[in-house]
Amino acid sequence: MNFFKLLKPALLLPLALLLSGCQLILLDPAGWVANQERDLLIASTVLMLVIIVPVLVLAVYIPWRYRDSRKATDDYDPEFEHSSLFEAFIWGVPVLIIIALGALTWIYTHRLDPYRPLDHIAGEPLEIEAVSLDWKWLFIYPEQDMAVVNQLVIPTDRPVNLKLTSSSVMNTFSVPALAGMIYTMAGMETKLHLVAEEAGQYYGRSANYSGPGYAHMDFETFAVSEDEFDNWVNTVKTSSNTMSDETYLQLAKPTVADSVSYYNGVADNLFDKIVGLCVEPGKVCIGDMMMQDMMGGGGLQGVNTKDQYIYDEFPPGEGFDQHEFDEVLHANPDEPTKGPVNVKNPDQTVTNISGGDDASNASEPVRQQ
């Protein structure tokens, strides 16, 4: 009787999880890439359960069925040595499952290669350049000649080609409703292709710990119609801010919980200079540095220009990890206190998207002693 009293609450746990308000966005994605990843996850789980469930059941049944206290022993055969059928079953089924998992992995690995363009989707791809900063995201729209901080807006049913890099430490770009994760690394460029099939508002963030402000390094992704996207672009283009080299260098300084901000106009080749770690005037891009090294280096003259080849944010001996912080990290006091939001909304409009010059983009810098 006591056992059944304990069992009843346990049986209610699945219902409690369904009522908890958790968003199972991985099982209800809004883009083709994420849908394929969901299918792979489900198929792999089912195939593994084909082995796991029988093993768990037999792990309980066999000790109970052949317990020492049982009365019926007429199935006991002391002469039993071998069964070809039994051997074929216990070896054949796992081998078949491994083959199936291997085939699925091979197919989906090539199909979902993040560097593979979504050529099967009609429409001209939208080019976006993403930069992970400390601790915020910068999205550059080169075709529209504009930039946005901590907000990503894309049109539905149109492929998006993302080029990504980092201003300092490694980060990970992640919008689970639309695609998988991809790393961003300083001095390197990675790629990710995605498409939003359903309009709505989706949560994005850095999925790789990158320092004290990492918890605030998130952004909202809005998937809207093509007309709404054009309206939003026109809104951004009304901004009086421009993303010059000097503006970027100021933006790249460590801050926490920055608000959304818009920039009309982007410096020429800014993303390439960020990848080359040469936005700062006088810096030699790492691509040029590697070319010089391949040609034999700078010789004795390189001693006088060594500062042009130092790419760390702080000089030697003054690394970021050696800076001490106050008791708490000070962030933007206007930051909204809300959790992750993933809402499919076929009527998503630009009127629901906040940002612009009226949004504070002057979050308090991380205070260092």
Side-chain angles (χ1 to χ4, degrees):
M1 182 63 68
N2 292 335
F3 172 76
F4 286 105
K5 287 183 177 180
L6 295 175
L7 182 62
K8 289 180 179 179
L11 294 176
L12 293 175
L13 282 177
L15 180 60
L17 290 175
L18 292 175
L19 298 176
S20 64
C22 295
Q23 295 181 327
L24 304 178
I25 191 62
L26 291 178
L27 299 179
D28 186 26
W32 181 85
V33 175
N35 271 296
Q36 296 294 309
E37 293 173 342
R38 177 203 57 192
D39 295 344
L40 176 60
L41 174 65
I42 293 175
S44 301
T45 302
V46 170
L47 283 172
M48 289 185 286
L49 287 176
V50 171
I51 287 293
I52 295 174
V53 172
V55 168
L56 294 177
V57 172
L58 291 175
V60 176
Y61 173 75
I62 290 178
W64 176 83
R65 178 68 177 81
Y66 298 102
R67 64 193 184 279
D68 182 64
S69 61
R70 70 190 182 108
K71 296 180 180 179
T73 59
D74 54 330
D75 56 351
Y76 176 62
D77 182 7
E79 303 298 327
F80 177 82
E81 293 182 354
H82 178 74
S83 171
S84 298
L85 180 62
F86 184 69
E87 288 285 343
F89 178 79
I90 64 173
W91 287 102
V93 172
V95 168
L96 291 175
I97 291 177
I98 290 173
I99 292 174
L101 283 173
L104 276 175
T105 302
W106 189 91
I107 293 171
Y108 279 91
T109 296
H110 290 80
R111 180 184 299 173
L112 300 177
D113 181 356
Y115 280 59
R116 182 177 182 177
L118 304 180
D119 295 332
H120 64 283
I121 299 177
E124 185 68 22
L126 173 66
E127 302 291 336
I128 298 178
E129 298 164 343
V131 184
S132 58
L133 305 168
D134 294 327
W135 287 273
K136 47 195 168 284
W137 288 93
L138 170 65
F139 299 103
I140 300 173
Y141 292 73
E143 297 169 343
Q144 289 75 23
D145 190 28
M146 66 185 199
V148 182
V149 172
N150 283 344
Q151 186 182 87
L152 179 62
V153 180
I154 59 175
T156 56
D157 299 319
R158 181 178 174 184
V160 176
N161 299 343
L162 275 166
K163 296 193 297 184
L164 307 100
T165 191
S166 174
S167 67
S168 57
V169 299
M170 181 185 298
N171 270 291
T172 305
F173 175 89
S174 175
V175 183
L178 300 178
M181 299 185 295
I182 192 73
Y183 281 101
T184 64
M185 292 166 280
M188 298 181 65
E189 177 187 314
T190 54
K191 296 181 180 180
L192 182 67
H193 296 84
L194 57 86
V195 61
E197 296 176 327
E198 300 186 56
Q201 176 184 354
Y202 307 108
Y203 182 68
R205 68 161 300 116
S206 169
N208 189 80
Y209 180 74
S210 58
Y214 154 79
H216 299 275
M217 197 172 173
D218 52 8
F219 59 93
E220 290 178 327
T221 299
F222 293 92
V224 298
S225 67
E226 196 73 42
D227 291 339
E228 289 294 339
F229 177 75
D230 292 338
N231 291 337
W232 175 77
V233 170
N234 292 333
T235 300
V236 178
K237 300 295 285 184
T238 62
S239 172
S240 59
N241 299 325
T242 59
M243 183 55 66
S244 62
D245 291 347
E246 294 76 15
T247 302
Y248 170 79
L249 292 174
Q250 184 66 28
L251 183 69
K253 294 180 180 179
T255 54
V256 180
D258 282 37
S259 297
V260 175
S261 53
Y262 295 158
Y263 299 86
N264 177 24
V266 180
D268 293 338
N269 302 317
L270 177 59
F271 182 78
D272 293 335
K273 288 186 284 188
I274 296 173
V275 174
L277 303 178
C278 54
V279 180
E280 184 179 348
K283 289 292 183 183
V284 176
C285 296
I286 58 174
D288 297 332
M289 180 202 68
M290 289 186 286
M291 177 63 72
Q292 293 176 13
D293 288 345
M294 187 177 68
M295 300 301 293
L300 292 177
Q301 294 181 357
V303 176
N304 299 324
T305 59
K306 64 179 182 179
D307 290 341
Q308 299 177 11
Y309 299 85
I310 296 177
Y311 302 103
D312 292 333
E313 184 175 359
F314 299 99
E318 298 183 10
F320 184 71
D321 57 339
Q322 297 183 23
H323 284 250
E324 296 182 2
F325 298 97
D326 289 345
E327 295 180 359
V328 295
L329 281 176
H330 295 273
N332 183 355
D334 298 326
E335 182 194 20
T337 56
K338 57 178 178 55
V341 175
N342 290 284
V343 179
K344 293 181 180 180
N345 179 15
D347 300 320
Q348 180 71 55
T349 63
V350 293
T351 57
N352 297 329
I353 304 176
S354 61
D357 289 349
D358 56 334
S360 172
N361 59 353
S363 61
E364 184 176 349
V366 177
R367 296 194 290 178
Q368 303 168 355
Q369 292 180 346

